[in-house]
Amino acid sequence: MVGAWVAVAGQGRVMVTQDRAARTRQALIAAAAADIDTNGYDGATLSAISSAARVSMGALTFHFSSKRALAEAVVEEACVLTRQRTAVAVAAGSPPLQVAVELLRCLADLLDESVLVRAAALLARERPQAVPGWHQAWVPALSALLTEAADLGQLHREARPDAVADLAVYLLTAVEVNRSAPAGEGRGAEGALARLLPFVKRAVASGDA
């Protein structure tokens, strides 16, 4: 009986330790995303991240061996969130070109609301060779939608799906870089995208779309 109690108590301690480690890791990722979003990759520092997360430098280096490892974790978390939102948008069941437009709006919303996604998008610009890109989480779905739209005659005959997907990447990058807006207009990435999308859609959509 005593042995069983000791075993249960030991399992409980392991679970508490694992839970504490998971919370520490998430705190570090959140602090890293905020620092990168504000200061860029080069301006972010491990000391500032550990201070913001209220975690010792020793605990930080236990979980992440370098700033690059932290940045990769930020991108991984952002990609999980982005894939979840992308799946919801793609499941809407509307015509593919309309779904593609809604997906871009969803991504702009994410840029406004999630510091993880903003940091991942910034890292895609600043560290494209060192850190896996955030675009990998949504470009394949968008490309599939645009290919389907082309097959259904929803795209202008000269608008190749791959070129339109590239244009979408540039468009999301532009609204991520400059999220400001004139007074009285929609602000943030979503507002900037809403102002630009009608012109883009007019250029790439067929007359029947």
Side-chain angles (χ1 to χ4, degrees):
M1 181 69 72
V2 173
W5 182 87
V6 170
V8 170
Q11 290 174 354
R13 285 194 296 271
V14 170
M15 291 178 64
V16 169
T17 300
Q18 290 174 340
D19 185 57
R20 185 184 301 116
R23 290 198 305 270
T24 297
R25 189 176 189 278
Q26 288 304 120
L28 288 166
I29 292 172
D35 200 2
I36 291 169
D37 181 43
T38 301
N39 301 307
Y41 180 84
D42 290 336
T45 65
L46 294 181
S47 60
I49 291 167
S50 66
S51 177
R54 297 183 179 181
V55 171
S56 70
M57 186 63 73
L60 185 156
T61 55
F62 172 80
H63 287 279
F64 300 101
S65 60
S66 64
K67 185 166 69 170
R68 174 174 173 172
L70 253 175
E72 289 174 346
V74 167
V75 174
E76 182 179 349
E77 292 281 331
C79 286
V80 169
L81 176 59
T82 302
R83 289 191 185 99
Q84 290 172 346
R85 296 290 186 88
T86 297
V88 171
V90 171
S94 301
L97 184 58
Q98 181 179 335
V99 175
V101 170
E102 290 304 317
L103 174 56
L104 292 178
R105 288 177 174 147
C106 172
L107 294 167
D109 283 338
L110 270 177
L111 287 169
D112 285 333
E113 70 184 51
S114 172
V115 68
L116 281 167
V117 171
R118 287 197 301 274
L122 184 151
L123 287 166
R125 290 189 286 109
E126 290 191 346
R127 307 281 293 179
Q129 305 304 319
V131 179
W134 170 64
H135 301 113
Q136 296 173 5
W138 57 272
V139 167
L142 179 68
S143 296
L145 288 168
L146 293 172
T147 298
E148 185 180 354
D151 291 342
L152 292 174
Q154 295 181 333
L155 293 184
H156 190 282
R157 63 179 181 277
E158 295 180 358
R160 301 194 323 273
D162 59 332
V164 178
D166 287 343
L167 178 60
V169 172
Y170 300 145
L171 190 61
L172 262 294
T173 300
V175 300
E176 177 257 323
V177 170
N178 183 13
R179 297 196 303 272
S180 62
E185 297 190 30
R187 294 186 179 276
E190 193 279 332
L193 185 70
R195 291 191 297 276
L196 296 173
L197 267 179
F199 303 101
V200 175
K201 188 175 179 182
R202 195 175 304 148
V204 304
S206 68
D208 297 329

